């Protein structure tokens, strides 16, 4: 829903201004799923709102839950029939994080990614992006899920920095205390490495978190896995990250999906350490190792042992690193598995 729909409605019906606040609070803070639930406004007004405005800009086709109830995935149909997926996961006990999609496909075609296999899609508008949060908040309330839903990551379908204007608008709404009221430090954006997007993000949102999907520190190998690297190679990414670090002094997360016999050798770890050592502020770079989630059959996840060896090699080289547990594999809601199916 766009707040401007409500302000236009108020104006058109010559209603007092305080009605706007009541309706906005009911939708964004109390998470009503239907205007008929708003008991603070007259019945005829509720009915009129229900007839004229939709709270969510999409319809929900299906929601899947993992057995341990720590990850949920929803398939949504947008108004033009395009489908997207959005995820709610609990990476830590009692903490919940929504993973948002920003496009209906992805033109970047990373070889290990199910969204990339779909090819390019259209950009989502800020309403479609923010409504994913509205939906998960409604779901959270309806099923009385315990815990704190305080994190948002832009790691779903699409490359956020190829849809920068709408991402920017949606982040402003996520931060708005009258609307979603998320804390800046609890919002993260992940990119395949679009330098202009990284620089704009540093200028516009120096308090948010940035993650780079790196996956190899060898240009030749990275270009094979992520064709965008032919256009924006590691040198260009490093320049943009230097700018980011200088501007924000904030930690950057380097995401590294571990693929058996592709990017998990000692040489790969060595190249990664070498890449990180080139940064003046290498203390602000943190590597997250993620075992590949088998979506694309050509790739096999690295073994647990191999991931541990890779991590230990980096630690011996004084690189800050952790192994990130991947959730949602069972319902294909994990990294690189979203395909709007
Ligand atoms: Fe696009 Fe991200 Fe998938 Fe690459 S990993 S194809 S950038 S959605």
């Amino acid at each position: 829903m766009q707040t401007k729909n409500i302000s236009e409605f108020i104006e058109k019906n010559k209603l007092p201004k305080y009605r706007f606040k009541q309706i906005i609070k009911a939708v964004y803070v109390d998470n009503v799923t239907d205007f008929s639930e708003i008991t603070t406004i007259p019945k005829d007004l509720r009915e009129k709102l229900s007839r004229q405005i939709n709270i969510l800009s999409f319809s929900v086709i299906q929601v899947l839950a993992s057995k341990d109830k720590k990850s949920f995935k929803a398939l949504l149909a947008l108004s033009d029939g395009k489908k997207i997926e959005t995820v709610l996961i609990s990476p830590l006990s009692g903490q919940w994080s929504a993973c948002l999609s920003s496009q209906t496909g992805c033109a970047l075609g990373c070889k290990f990614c199910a969204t990339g296999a779909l090819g390019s899609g259209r950009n989502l508008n800020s309403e479609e992006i923010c409504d994913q949060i509205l939906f998960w908040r409604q779901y959270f309330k309806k099923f009385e899920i315990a815990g704190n839903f305080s994190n948002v990551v832009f790691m779903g379908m699409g490359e956020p920095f190829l849809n920068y204007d709408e991402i920017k608008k949606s982040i402003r709404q996520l931060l708005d205390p009258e609307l979603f009221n998320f804390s800046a430090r609890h919002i993260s954006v992940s990119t395949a490495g679009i330098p202009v997007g990284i620089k704009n993000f540093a200028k516009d949102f120096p308090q948010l978190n940035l993650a780079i999907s790196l996956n190899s520190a060898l240009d030749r190998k990275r270009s094979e896995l992520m064709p965008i690297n032919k256009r924006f190679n590691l040198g260009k990414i490093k320049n943009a990250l230097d700018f980011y670090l200088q501007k924000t002094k904030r930690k950057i997360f380097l995401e590294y999906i571990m693929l058996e016999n592709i990017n998990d050798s000692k040489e790969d770890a060595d190249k990664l350490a070498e890449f990180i050592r080139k940064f003046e502020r290498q203390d602000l770079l943190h590597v997250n190792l993620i075992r590949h989630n088998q979506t694309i059959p050509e790739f096999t996840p690295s073994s647990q042992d191999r991931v541990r060896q890779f991590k230990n090699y980096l630690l011996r080289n004084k690189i800050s690193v952790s192994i990130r547990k991947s959730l949602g594999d069972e319902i294909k809601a994990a990294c690189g598995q979203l395909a709007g199916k």
Side-chain angles (χ1 to χ4, degrees):
M1 190 186 87
Q2 284 182 305
T3 55
K4 90 168 178 354
N5 295 346
I6 303 297
S7 50
E8 283 169 8
F9 177 89
I10 300 278
E11 212 169 298
K12 205 167 117 206
N13 291 282
K14 300 193 176 37
L15 296 168
K17 289 230 164 56
Y18 65 86
R19 291 283 181 226
F20 175 81
K21 280 205 163 180
Q22 283 177 314
I23 299 166
I24 291 299
K25 180 181 170 289
V27 173
Y28 290 91
V29 182
D30 304 332
N31 303 121
V32 296
T33 51
D34 194 290
F35 293 110
S36 62
E37 296 167 37
I38 314 180
T39 49
T40 51
I41 60 172
K43 193 161 174 269
D44 61 329
L45 185 53
R46 287 181 236 162
E47 286 169 359
K48 207 168 190 181
L49 277 164
S50 294
R51 276 197 306 273
Q52 296 185 11
I53 298 174
N54 291 324
I55 294 182
L56 295 178
S57 53
F58 43 67
S59 53
V60 181
I61 302 176
Q62 188 184 34
V63 181
L64 294 177
S66 63
K67 279 198 199 95
D68 63 4
K69 297 276 185 289
K70 284 192 171 172
S71 42
F72 300 88
K73 178 171 83 163
L75 176 63
L76 312 171
L78 305 175
S79 55
D80 61 357
K82 298 255 186 301
K83 296 194 182 76
I84 56 160
E85 291 179 327
T86 181
V87 171
L88 183 70
I89 51 168
S90 176
L92 292 171
S93 174
Q95 268 191 35
W96 290 88
S97 187
C99 177
L100 305 185
S101 289
S102 55
Q103 298 182 306
T104 61
C106 187
L108 300 192
C110 301
K111 297 288 186 285
F112 48 81
C113 172
T115 314
L118 292 175
S120 67
R122 75 160 169 86
N123 285 338
L124 301 191
N125 59 40
S126 61
E127 183 183 12
E128 291 164 332
I129 295 168
C130 287
D131 282 359
Q132 294 172 55
I133 295 285
L134 265 187
F135 165 70
W136 284 126
R137 282 200 170 165
Q138 293 174 357
Y139 191 86
F140 205 76
K141 183 180 158 196
K142 184 173 170 197
F143 292 98
E144 298 176 340
I145 298 173
N148 197 5
F149 175 7
S150 54
N151 291 283
V152 181
V153 295
F154 285 85
M155 285 189 193
M157 294 168 66
E159 163 53 53
F161 289 162
L162 291 184
N163 185 15
Y164 192 74
D165 291 345
E166 296 302 311
I167 290 293
K168 190 170 160 176
K169 273 192 237 164
S170 50
I171 291 174
R172 297 231 185 278
Q173 290 181 42
L174 295 181
L175 295 172
D176 188 333
E178 309 272 314
L179 301 178
F180 295 99
N181 196 25
F182 280 100
S183 135
R185 282 161 200 268
H186 290 165
I187 303 176
S188 308
V189 178
S190 175
T191 174
I194 309 291
V196 64
I198 295 171
K199 289 182 181 171
N200 286 334
F201 186 65
K203 287 186 244 168
D204 294 329
F205 300 109
Q207 305 294 321
L208 270 68
N209 304 307
L210 176 69
I212 307 291
S213 181
L214 194 73
N215 309 314
S216 175
L218 280 154
D219 268 318
R220 178 189 47 78
K221 207 175 265 194
R222 192 167 190 270
S223 295
E224 272 168 31
L225 291 171
M226 306 177 73
I228 188 65
N229 193 69
K230 291 178 198 150
R231 186 151 168 227
F232 302 124
N233 64 17
L234 290 161
K236 289 180 180 156
I237 292 177
K238 181 181 176 292
N239 281 344
L241 295 185
D242 279 333
F243 177 89
Y244 180 89
L245 291 170
Q246 199 192 5
K247 197 98 192 148
T248 68
K249 316 268 183 297
R250 280 183 71 70
K251 195 175 264 188
I252 296 172
F253 298 89
L254 302 176
E255 312 287 306
Y256 197 102
I257 294 176
M258 299 218 48
L259 308 160
E260 188 179 69
N261 296 332
I262 305 264
N263 65 355
D264 63 352
S265 69
K266 187 167 162 288
E267 192 207 351
D268 290 302
D270 200 36
K271 287 288 167 194
L272 179 56
E274 193 183 305
F275 176 69
I276 291 172
R277 274 197 297 268
K278 285 187 199 146
F279 286 84
E280 215 174 292
R281 293 296 311 266
Q282 65 159 286
D283 58 309
L284 291 176
L285 297 178
H286 181 85
V287 179
N288 277 325
L289 301 175
I290 307 152
R291 274 185 85 221
H292 173 58
N293 297 296
Q294 203 145 12
T295 323
I296 310 283
E298 294 95 280
F299 297 104
T300 311
S302 302
S303 66
Q304 308 269 16
D305 260 3
R306 188 49 83 93
V307 177
R308 267 194 299 273
Q309 282 163 15
F310 200 92
K311 178 188 171 195
N312 290 338
Y313 186 87
L314 291 175
L315 284 176
R316 283 199 297 279
N317 280 275
K318 309 215 170 351
I319 303 295
S320 164
V321 55
S322 45
I323 299 172
R324 212 178 72 199
K325 208 171 119 202
S326 184
L327 291 165
D329 198 14
E330 169 196 337
I331 54 168
K332 301 227 175 306
C335 265
Q337 292 189 319
L338 301 187
K341 287 186 191 151

